[in-house]
Amino acid sequence: LLRVDPEQTDALLAEPHAEAFVMRGRAMDGWLRVEADGVTTGGELGRWVARGVDYAKSLPPKSR
């Protein structure tokens, strides 16, 4: 499960092994499921992790 920029959802769904994350029957923009076959090497895993980290860093800090 990966959180990404909602505006990039459609483009990332075109990537091999990426699919929409569905909750209660509704696809959630900004959330992807990446199949295990899509992260079999360190490079593949790192690419997806970097996308998620980059998006997380772009979000405003949470208030305490």
Side-chain angles (χ1 to χ4, degrees):
L1 184 61
L2 177 70
R3 187 168 185 199
V4 296
D5 183 341
E7 293 179 9
Q8 294 180 357
T9 301
D10 290 336
L12 291 172
L13 286 173
E15 295 280 332
H17 309 290
E19 58 187 47
F21 174 68
V22 178
M23 180 181 274
R24 297 183 183 160
R26 186 172 82 102
M28 306 293 291
D29 283 345
W31 292 92
L32 302 176
R33 290 178 55 104
V34 180
E35 297 172 353
D37 288 343
V39 291
T40 58
T41 68
E44 290 170 335
L45 177 60
R47 188 171 52 109
W48 286 112
V49 169
R51 285 179 171 145
V53 168
D54 288 347
Y55 180 64
K57 285 181 177 180
S58 76
L59 298 172
K62 290 187 175 187
S63 301
R64 290 186 171 197

